[in-house]
Amino acid sequence: MNDSSWGTPQTGYWGPSDHGPGRGAAPAGPAYDAHNPQQTRPMPIVPDVPEHGGDQDAERGAARPSGPPFRNEPTRARPHPGEVPQNPEPMHDAPQPAPAPQKKSAGRDLSAAIGVGVGLGAVIVASLFVVKAVFVGVIAVAVVVGLWELTKRLEERKGIKAPLVPLALGGAAMVVAGYARGAEGAWVAMALTALAVLVWRMAAPPEGYLKDVTAGLFAAFYVPFLATFVALMLTADDGAWRVLTFLLLTVVSDTGAYAVGWRFGKHKLAPRISPGKTREGLLGAVAFSMAGGALCMQFLIEGGVWWQGLLLGLAVAASATLGDLGESMIKRDLGIKDMGTLLPGHGGIMDRLDSLLPTAPVVWLLLVLFVGSG
């Protein structure tokens, strides 16, 4: 059947009409106004057997014409009583087999993610407890790679050209200055990095200057400056154990959120930002992190007590979740899933730093308040 058959006077469309005087048979004549041929389009075929049943359907059926509903459609002979119809039509209401239940998927290659995570953990722990300066170098390398990923994605997706050279040099200097000179050294390095970003961008045309340097200042604060607080933790006498506590609690928080959210998650936490996160997952992060915090403060931190660990764990769960949501917001704005592909099963370096970066100043501050700067 083609579209033109609906504009001919011989075509009848039976069934209830929304524009006719009543709800019985359709009025004789064309289904659409002949002066408006561009509005004609195929109409759905109404099934012979009512799908919903009931008295209302019976009344509609009484008003139907006895002939075929459409032109050129053969009239079907009704079977005599007791006769089995040949080639019976399938019933619309026949029960369909239920689809097989689908298993939940983690969305990533878990074996690769676990392998990469164990490898990174081994490198971090070895450098942390063997030579502190080596661990500072690990932080600086992670900062430089993270800045490269962030600036690369900004340029690809938004056309924003944040100057990478002053960011990379200034970011590494920030980490080293924080370890060598403390908080004052970190602030001075941050100020000099910001100035270098402003000056470096002047060598390019002025178009887009403001958005480029704004993105550069944001990147300088977001990646290297927040990472400097890890170096500040390391300067204490028990600095290695403080850094280990910070890393363990962040990982435990993420693990608790994933495990509980994957198994019991039903209520979305922030569906517009990160649809995969649930309120149940947040509760799992809080429970796991508070338990881990109590153990770490009692057994790893000199002078710490278990109730301080409960508060520390609660703060870590909150900051890690907010950091994860913050980077999800950035990636959603950029229209990407991961910041990079360097780490199989994880994405990029920035996809692993998202919860660590905002948690570092929180843990540093609470440990200073609880047990001093060391």
Side-chain angles (χ1 to χ4, degrees):
M1 183 183 298
N2 54 32
D3 293 347
S4 60
S5 63
W6 286 98
T8 59
Q10 291 86 356
T11 303
Y13 173 66
W14 51 268
S17 173
D18 295 334
H19 304 288
R23 301 184 62 183
Y32 293 92
D33 190 355
H35 298 288
N36 242 344
Q38 68 275 13
Q39 297 181 0
T40 61
R41 61 182 183 273
M43 298 296 290
I45 300 176
V46 180
D48 293 340
V49 181
E51 295 184 359
H52 303 286
D55 297 337
Q56 185 178 3
D57 291 335
E59 293 175 1
R60 293 177 181 175
R64 294 173 181 168
S66 58
F70 299 101
R71 190 179 61 179
N72 298 331
E73 180 178 349
T75 305
R76 298 183 180 90
R78 297 182 179 274
H80 296 288
E83 179 184 352
V84 178
Q86 299 294 327
N87 300 325
E89 295 182 357
M91 297 297 293
H92 295 281
D93 295 334
Q96 301 295 329
Q102 297 181 353
K103 295 182 179 180
K104 290 185 177 181
S105 173
R108 293 185 184 273
D109 186 349
L110 284 183
S111 60
I114 294 173
V116 171
V118 172
L120 288 176
V123 172
I124 290 172
V125 172
S127 61
L128 183 60
F129 286 96
V130 174
V131 181
K132 289 184 177 181
V134 175
F135 182 73
V136 174
V138 171
I139 301 174
V141 170
V143 162
V144 172
V145 177
L147 285 170
W148 174 77
E149 289 180 346
L150 179 58
T151 55
K152 189 72 172 178
R153 300 293 90 77
L154 287 173
E155 183 176 0
E156 290 176 351
R157 308 298 297 185
K158 296 291 186 179
I160 300 174
K161 299 180 180 180
L164 177 60
V165 173
L167 284 174
L169 295 177
M174 252 184 271
V175 175
V176 175
Y179 177 71
R181 307 295 297 179
E184 293 181 358
W187 276 112
V188 171
M190 174 65 187
L192 294 177
T193 302
L195 180 60
V197 168
L198 296 174
V199 174
W200 189 278
R201 178 58 180 79
M202 291 180 182
E207 289 77 16
Y209 178 83
L210 184 58
K211 67 177 182 180
D212 291 346
V213 297
T214 302
L217 296 178
F218 164 74
F221 172 81
Y222 181 46
V223 184
F225 182 75
L226 293 181
T228 301
F229 286 92
V230 183
L232 292 177
M233 277 187 267
L234 195 61
T235 59
D237 295 336
D238 60 344
W241 296 105
R242 296 192 184 201
V243 173
L244 182 62
T245 297
F246 152 70
L247 295 174
L248 285 176
L249 292 186
T250 307
V251 172
V252 165
S253 174
D254 289 345
T255 303
Y258 171 79
V260 176
W262 180 81
R263 182 64 181 85
F264 303 103
K266 294 182 179 179
H267 303 88
K268 301 297 183 181
L269 177 64
R272 297 183 61 183
I273 302 175
S274 182
K277 291 179 176 54
T278 62
R279 300 174 188 175
E280 292 81 3
L282 176 59
L283 293 178
V286 170
F288 277 56
S289 187
M290 290 181 71
L295 294 174
C296 288
M297 286 297 293
Q298 186 68 36
F299 297 107
L300 298 184
I301 303 301
E302 183 179 356
V305 292
W306 65 270
W307 64 265
Q308 296 172 339
L310 294 178
L311 297 178
L312 180 63
L314 178 62
V316 167
S319 61
T321 302
L322 290 175
D324 203 348
L325 289 175
E327 178 147 340
S328 295
M329 195 78 167
I330 295 173
K331 291 188 288 189
R332 186 166 290 275
D333 185 26
L334 296 177
I336 58 177
K337 181 181 179 182
D338 294 321
M339 281 290 188
T341 58
L342 185 62
L343 304 177
H346 293 268
I349 289 291
M350 285 301 299
D351 297 297
R352 294 302 88 203
L353 296 180
D354 53 0
S355 54
L356 290 169
L357 289 173
T359 304
V362 173
V363 174
W364 173 80
L365 177 60
L366 289 178
L367 288 177
V368 169
L369 293 177
F370 289 153
V371 295
S373 60

